[in-house]
Amino acid sequence: MGFIKAFSGALGGTFADQWKDFYVPRAGVSGTAAVFQAVPQSQNNDRGENYKGNENIISNGSKIVVPEGTALITLQDGQITGFIAEPGGFEFRSDDPNSQSMFAGDGIFGQTIKSTWEKVKFGGQPGSQQLAFYINLKEIPNNKFGTQSEIYWDDAFFGTQVGAVTRGTYTLKIVDPLLFVKNFVPAKYLQPNAPIFDFADMDNDAGSQLFNEVVGSLSAAFSNYTNDPSKGNRMSKIQGDQIGFAQSLSQAVEEGYQWKSDRGLEIVKTAILAIEYDEDTKELMKDVKKADALSGARGNSFMQQATARGMQAAGENGGGAGMAFMGMGVNAAGGMMGTMQQPNNGSTYQPAFGGQQVAQPQAGTNAQPTEDPTEKLLNAKKLLDVGAISQEDYDKIKAQILGL
């Protein structure tokens, strides 16, 4: 028993238009639906073999259309008797030796479906009734996830545990319809006049179970992503990398719940709508951003700008501290900044501010005495007091002057 292929592709053409009575997917099915029953397109008014037009009977001569993006599965007493993953028109025949029970095609399913078929097919005698259901092979979007409290994971970049509250959506794909129907879809969705198995249905307990399993896998997914060297070990990339994080999440749910190997399901995309890190993690991220900003030439430029702003503020505000700072002069401030940035050659030196070059002593000539380390340290303290440099910058200068 099985099917005979009548035509390929969409329903059209002279031959296909001759079909007066055939089964198609029910109308009004949402994009988040996974399993829905085949229904008769029209009555054939007592013509042909399928004269009863009963929506719960797939009898000899029944014609079935399989649209693009769907598979069709037939059941008898809860057992899988036939499977079609090729788009086109088919005729059901239980007594034709040329009929086939499975049409998997050479596309994305191929050998995977053929292997699964050998494990789940029903080898009983043909029955008088066959139920037919369509399986959605397209991406099934808008499956939500979210955490009510922080989840924690070990982050390779920070070298410690971090935490966050997050929410978003993921896109599912049924990659093995036979496993999906056999091992995951509840029996109530595979009965005559069954409701649609829709992942977005709040009353769908199976869909709710997937939600809980995804939430339970988020910590492992974040760890998979941030500890993968190919991702740069930076969790700041997660929100913009829907494919990469989807792979990490899919790996986590497979390891924890065997979605693909047992249920024929896979997560193919994610969209993280929000991540709210805990306070400790926020402080870590601030430190990293500051370290990035002060690294290399960018750090030197930042120091120059900060010192110049400090001098300007001190001059505008006046007062003892401001006048003391201004009294240091460009040479004194330049000498202090020289501890942070050495000149490129032995002839001239561009100070951190002021725009004037200060002549440097040539080798073998009479040079002015080097500024006293104590004076340098006092000058640095004055810069700190007026806000021209930070405490961290002052500590670095102090360590250099004292040789720590």
Side-chain angles (χ1 to χ4, degrees):
M1 62 179 177
F3 300 92
I4 297 176
K5 191 170 186 178
F7 63 89
S8 300
L11 182 63
T14 302
F15 179 76
D17 290 342
Q18 293 175 357
W19 285 13
K20 303 297 183 183
D21 185 19
F22 53 92
Y23 285 82
V24 295
R26 61 193 300 176
V29 176
S30 71
T32 56
V35 180
F36 38 95
Q37 192 170 1
V39 295
Q41 174 72 11
S42 62
Q43 302 279 334
N44 65 0
N45 297 323
D46 296 336
R47 294 191 300 272
E49 296 179 75
N50 191 19
Y51 62 92
K52 293 182 180 180
N54 191 321
E55 62 180 345
N56 296 326
I57 296 178
I58 308 298
S59 58
N60 273 336
S62 293
K63 298 173 178 65
I64 296 176
V65 174
V66 181
E68 291 277 2
T70 63
L72 182 125
I73 194 166
T74 56
L75 301 173
Q76 177 182 319
D77 301 326
Q79 299 290 330
I80 297 174
T81 57
F83 176 79
I84 303 173
E86 297 180 29
F90 298 83
E91 184 174 335
F92 178 74
R93 289 285 181 180
S94 63
D95 55 355
D96 193 321
N98 296 317
S99 63
Q100 300 181 43
S101 296
M102 183 185 66
F103 288 85
D106 298 322
I108 58 174
F109 297 107
Q111 294 301 318
T112 300
I113 292 298
K114 293 176 182 177
S115 176
T116 304
W117 171 256
E118 294 301 321
K119 300 175 184 177
V120 304
K121 66 181 180 181
F122 176 58
Q125 296 296 317
S128 60
Q129 293 191 35
Q130 296 273 355
L131 297 177
F133 294 88
Y134 290 98
I135 315 297
N136 188 358
L137 302 184
K138 299 177 181 179
E139 293 185 357
I140 302 175
N142 203 34
N143 301 279
K144 295 178 174 59
F145 66 83
T147 60
Q148 295 183 342
S149 58
E150 287 87 356
I151 57 172
Y152 293 92
W153 68 94
D154 293 326
D155 190 280
F157 181 77
F158 290 115
T160 188
Q161 190 178 76
V162 296
V165 175
T166 185
R167 62 183 177 85
T169 63
Y170 62 93
T171 299
L172 275 175
K173 192 172 181 64
I174 300 172
V175 294
D176 193 328
L178 293 174
L179 281 180
F180 178 68
V181 171
K182 182 72 174 179
N183 295 338
F184 188 70
V185 179
K188 73 174 184 177
Y189 296 102
L190 302 173
Q191 302 293 331
N193 303 312
I196 296 175
F197 183 95
D198 195 327
F199 284 112
D201 184 359
M202 297 300 295
D203 295 326
N204 185 345
D205 293 336
S208 299
Q209 177 65 25
L210 293 184
F211 170 88
N212 294 331
E213 291 176 0
V214 167
V215 171
S217 302
L218 283 174
S219 178
F222 275 92
S223 182
N224 289 342
Y225 189 93
T226 58
N227 290 281
D228 184 350
S230 67
K231 304 296 188 301
N233 291 333
R234 301 295 290 267
M235 63 185 181
S236 58
K237 296 181 179 180
I238 290 178
Q239 282 185 276
D241 187 5
Q242 62 171 339
I243 302 298
F245 184 67
Q247 293 171 346
S248 298
L249 183 56
S250 183
Q251 176 188 342
V253 297
E254 177 63 19
E255 291 173 352
Y257 302 100
Q258 294 76 51
W259 275 28
K260 187 174 182 179
S261 56
D262 283 357
R263 300 172 178 172
L265 285 171
E266 189 172 22
I267 294 174
V268 294
K269 290 186 180 71
T270 57
I272 297 181
L273 304 179
I275 300 180
E276 180 65 27
Y277 298 104
D278 66 9
E279 293 303 319
D280 291 340
T281 304
K282 288 179 181 178
E283 291 301 319
L284 284 172
M285 296 179 74
K286 288 180 181 178
D287 292 342
V288 169
K289 289 174 66 176
K290 189 171 184 180
D292 287 346
L294 294 177
S295 63
R298 184 185 299 172
N300 290 334
S301 175
F302 176 83
M303 283 292 297
Q304 293 171 11
Q305 295 172 20
T307 305
R309 287 193 298 268
M311 288 185 66
Q312 180 180 359
E316 293 174 351
N317 294 334
M323 293 306 294
F325 172 70
M326 292 299 292
M328 291 180 356
V330 174
N331 289 340
M336 186 279 297
M337 289 302 296
T339 64
M340 298 295 291
Q341 176 178 339
Q342 296 299 324
N344 294 328
N345 53 56
S347 59
T348 60
Y349 168 58
Q350 179 70 36
F353 44 80
Q356 297 180 355
Q357 291 187 347
V358 180
Q360 298 299 307
Q362 301 291 331
T365 63
N366 293 329
Q368 295 180 355
T370 304
E371 186 179 2
D372 184 86
T374 302
E375 186 67 21
K376 287 184 179 182
L377 192 57
L378 289 173
N379 291 337
K381 183 63 168 64
K382 292 173 183 177
L383 288 174
L384 174 64
D385 291 340
V386 299
I389 62 175
S390 68
Q391 182 66 46
E392 183 181 359
D393 298 329
Y394 171 76
D395 292 339
K396 289 180 180 179
I397 295 170
K398 180 180 176 181
Q400 290 180 351
I401 292 174
L402 300 180
L404 300 178

